[in-house]
Amino acid sequence: MHRITIFKRTTKKDGVIKLRFRLRDGRSIDLYHKSDIIADLKSLDKFTEEGKPKPKVSVYDKDLQAKITEVVTAMNMAYREMKDKGMSMTGYNFESTIDKILHPDKVARAEARTLLARFERFAKEGQRDGLFGVVCSRQYEVIRKELRRFLIINKIEDILPADFTADILMELAMFFRDEYLYVDRWSTLYEDVKERNKPKERRSQNTVASKMSKMQAFFNDLEDKEEIVKSPFRKLGKERKRVVLKEQYDDPIFLYKEELLNLIASEVPPSLQETKDAFVLQCAFGCRIGDFQSLTMDKVAVNADGIPYIHYLPQKTKRELRSEIETPIMLYALDIIKKYRFEFSVLNYVSGKTGYNAKIKDLLEYCKIDRQCKVYDEQLGDYTFIPLYKLGSSKLCRKTHVDMMNKVQVNQYAAGLHSEGSDAVNRYTHLELRDRFVLMCAAFDQPQYKVDNDLEMIEEGQNGEV
């Protein structure tokens, strides 16, 4: 059981001191609290270590006793709360929790004004007002957690937006890039982070630029609302700002048609079968991983021509476009859908050492898809060649699909993957589902077929069909 005592280090007999308290629980917990109590040493001498009047002492400072009791009670409540919530037993968490108990109004007012609280409010309001989609909102939440860790590590967790300078902004960019260096040294900050989500290597420049772009949007909003005079991004200077926000992209990497067809025809061990089926199915649709995970049998329909297709609102753009994507289902894809009914356990986890992306790499390596691909290495400052299987991920599906469709003169809109209006897609804006089905079957070397509403094949000539 834990014990709270007054921690008195002075040997003086006269004068006053500011009281400190100590909480111990076994050998592993040893926490301290600096109170605001100013106590006269002679008055304090009439109390035990636990802050209670000593035996046989009848005359003592009752006001001091009340203050001590209030602090001890708050420490007990804070410790119980930390244990109930599974919080890290750090001095920072202990002091913060005590402060919230003793000064709830002051803490609430102070926290509402901090950079972190304001960023959280910005993200929530953006989602509420329809400015961000589901995917973007998740990205803001990830950045909020990273920003919190950055502020704590640099001991500026209470910083106000107006005090966030251009120099701090550059430090934040470096933290986004090299956060993996802090995981071991600040392990308590990552206790609530799943192992697969902990940064383990330097992030790419594009990832850092994406995070910094969202920080820029946040500060621009504060500037527009006149909560700050000038965004720190405006104080970076043109060159530093260009470096921080610069995104670079290599030529897209995808499976060649013969590589995908060989993969579809390949026999794989049972441990990779579900991964193979999910991967080649996603290649047939070309949808983003979030949309692919959300597909169910309710998203399968059959048109009047007997062509089955999937239909869904893409998460990334549904707030702006509200236009369903309709993608015909080729024969090999229909077989997989009937087999799994979109219930792929391999899609439960996408990232991490055992997630979908990692298993895609294993699948491609097993099938000897090892074509050398040119990739820019930021640390080397030069291009290097990497086997294609090492670059495997769910993003490969979308790129493969688009490339195969382009090679039968079907652009992204015709494949159901892009919005109408681009100069590059005007030629195909009036292609109907039947036309796209014909072209997709040609692109993937698949036979054309028809089904009834139960997804059963309609034989040629059946019910007057040709």
Side-chain angles (χ1 to χ4, degrees):
M1 185 173 178
H2 70 272
R3 179 181 181 225
I4 297 174
T5 57
I6 297 172
F7 186 65
K8 186 171 68 172
R9 292 189 298 181
T10 182
T11 57
K12 295 190 300 182
K13 300 295 183 181
D14 297 315
V16 296
I17 61 170
K18 182 177 282 191
L19 292 191
R20 294 181 69 200
F21 294 82
R22 185 179 193 178
L23 183 150
R24 283 183 288 185
D25 191 356
R27 294 182 178 181
S28 59
I29 305 299
D30 193 1
L31 300 169
Y32 296 84
H33 169 61
K34 298 177 182 178
S35 75
D36 295 326
I37 301 173
I38 305 295
D40 181 84
L41 285 168
K42 289 185 177 180
S43 296
L44 186 62
D45 193 49
K46 296 182 179 182
F47 293 86
T48 65
E49 277 188 322
E50 288 78 15
K52 297 179 180 179
K54 290 181 178 179
K56 300 181 181 180
V57 172
S58 58
V59 179
Y60 56 88
D61 189 336
K62 294 184 179 179
D63 183 53
L64 177 59
Q65 184 196 25
K67 291 178 180 179
I68 291 173
T69 300
E70 181 184 26
V71 169
V72 170
T73 301
M75 291 175 67
N76 278 312
M77 292 173 63
Y79 185 57
R80 284 197 297 269
E81 181 178 336
M82 290 172 67
K83 289 176 67 176
D84 291 343
K85 293 182 177 180
M87 297 170 64
S88 300
M89 293 296 170
T90 62
Y92 173 80
N93 285 342
F94 191 48
E95 289 284 18
S96 297
T97 308
I98 292 171
D99 207 24
K100 288 177 182 178
I101 294 169
L102 292 176
H103 313 290
D105 294 338
K106 182 194 78 173
V107 171
R109 286 195 302 271
E111 287 185 346
R113 297 172 58 240
T114 64
L115 175 84
L116 187 62
R118 190 61 187 83
F119 183 85
E120 183 175 6
R121 197 176 99 201
F122 166 76
K124 287 181 179 179
E125 290 175 351
Q127 184 177 24
R128 180 199 65 194
D129 299 339
L131 301 177
F132 311 144
V134 175
V135 174
C136 190
S137 294
R138 289 174 185 163
Q139 292 170 345
Y140 270 105
E141 175 59 17
V142 170
I143 294 173
R144 183 194 68 79
K145 293 177 181 178
E146 293 167 350
L147 178 61
R148 174 182 173 271
R149 293 194 288 265
F150 169 78
L151 297 174
I152 292 175
I153 288 170
N154 288 275
K155 299 180 181 179
I156 52 172
E157 58 267 29
D158 297 326
I159 194 171
L160 302 178
D163 297 326
F164 204 85
T165 65
D167 288 337
I168 299 176
L169 195 62
M170 290 300 295
E171 291 176 9
L172 176 62
M174 288 187 284
F175 178 80
F176 283 152
R177 184 190 64 190
D178 292 326
E179 188 182 3
Y180 75 101
L181 297 174
Y182 297 86
V183 175
D184 291 337
R185 281 186 289 167
W186 294 85
S187 57
T188 56
L189 290 179
Y190 295 88
E191 287 181 347
D192 297 332
V193 181
K194 293 180 180 179
E195 187 61 34
R196 65 177 180 273
N197 293 332
K198 292 178 181 178
K200 296 176 177 62
E201 59 186 13
R202 172 172 284 189
R203 295 188 177 110
S204 70
Q205 173 58 31
N206 289 348
T207 299
V208 174
S210 175
K211 293 177 186 294
M212 293 302 289
S213 293
K214 289 177 173 58
M215 291 299 301
Q216 184 182 36
F218 163 62
F219 281 111
N220 286 346
D221 185 70
L222 296 184
E223 188 177 312
D224 291 342
K225 293 177 178 176
E226 299 183 350
E227 294 183 37
I228 58 175
V229 176
K230 185 183 290 187
S231 165
F233 281 88
R234 297 184 185 274
K235 302 175 184 179
L236 280 177
K238 288 184 179 180
E239 187 59 25
R240 287 206 297 175
K241 185 176 179 180
R242 183 190 68 79
V243 170
V244 165
L245 298 175
K246 183 179 181 181
E247 294 188 47
Q248 294 178 322
Y249 292 95
D250 296 320
D251 292 336
I253 294 171
F254 42 79
L255 295 180
Y256 291 157
K257 178 178 179 177
E258 58 270 21
E259 290 171 331
L260 178 61
L261 295 183
N262 286 338
L263 177 61
I264 292 173
S266 295
E267 296 288 337
V268 299
S271 61
L272 291 175
Q273 187 63 52
E274 187 183 8
T275 301
K276 173 195 166 183
D277 291 339
F279 180 79
V280 297
L281 181 62
Q282 192 181 355
C283 287
F285 297 151
C287 52
R288 297 179 179 89
I289 183 61
D291 296 322
F292 187 52
Q293 288 174 302
S294 67
L295 291 177
T296 64
M297 293 303 293
D298 291 337
K299 296 299 182 181
V300 177
V302 180
N303 77 349
D305 294 316
I307 298 172
Y309 64 95
I310 59 166
H311 57 97
Y312 61 92
L313 280 170
Q315 297 178 19
K316 186 174 181 179
T317 58
K318 67 181 181 181
R319 289 179 179 265
E320 296 84 12
L321 299 179
R322 294 188 182 178
S323 177
E324 270 200 326
I325 285 176
E326 296 180 351
T327 304
I329 300 174
M330 292 174 288
L331 184 57
Y332 89 81
L334 181 67
D335 292 338
I336 296 173
I337 289 172
K338 286 184 174 181
K339 178 180 178 181
Y340 291 92
R341 301 183 66 82
F342 293 109
E343 295 177 0
F344 293 102
S345 59
V346 72
L347 297 181
N348 290 339
Y349 300 105
V350 176
S351 59
K353 292 183 178 180
T354 59
Y356 180 45
N357 286 338
K359 290 177 180 177
I360 289 173
K361 292 179 175 64
D362 294 339
L363 170 69
L364 299 183
E365 183 177 14
Y366 179 85
C367 294
K368 294 182 171 53
I369 300 179
D370 54 5
R371 170 167 47 91
Q372 296 295 303
C373 300
K374 188 170 70 171
V375 178
Y376 185 78
D377 189 310
E378 293 181 6
Q379 290 183 310
L380 293 176
D382 199 357
Y383 283 97
T384 184
F385 287 88
I386 298 176
L388 178 53
Y389 67 81
K390 289 189 175 181
L391 304 173
S393 75
S394 63
K395 292 181 180 179
L396 199 61
C397 301
R398 183 173 175 80
K399 295 174 183 178
T400 298
H401 182 95
V402 171
D403 176 71
M404 292 181 68
M405 298 301 285
N406 282 337
K407 286 174 179 172
V408 287
Q409 298 182 346
V410 181
N411 53 44
Q412 290 185 35
Y413 175 76
L417 298 171
H418 206 282
S419 60
E420 184 175 358
S422 169
D423 291 339
V425 303
N426 281 339
R427 180 183 172 192
Y428 298 96
T429 53
H430 300 296
L431 281 178
E432 296 183 357
L433 188 73
R434 182 174 184 176
D435 302 315
R436 283 188 271 133
F437 180 59
V438 170
L439 290 166
M440 285 180 66
C441 289
F444 286 77
D445 286 354
Q446 288 288 298
Q448 297 178 43
Y449 69 101
K450 295 182 180 182
V451 297
D452 58 24
N453 289 332
D454 295 323
L455 300 181
E456 296 300 325
M457 297 281 289
I458 297 176
E459 298 294 338
E460 189 173 314
Q462 182 179 333
N463 296 327
E465 295 288 344
V466 178

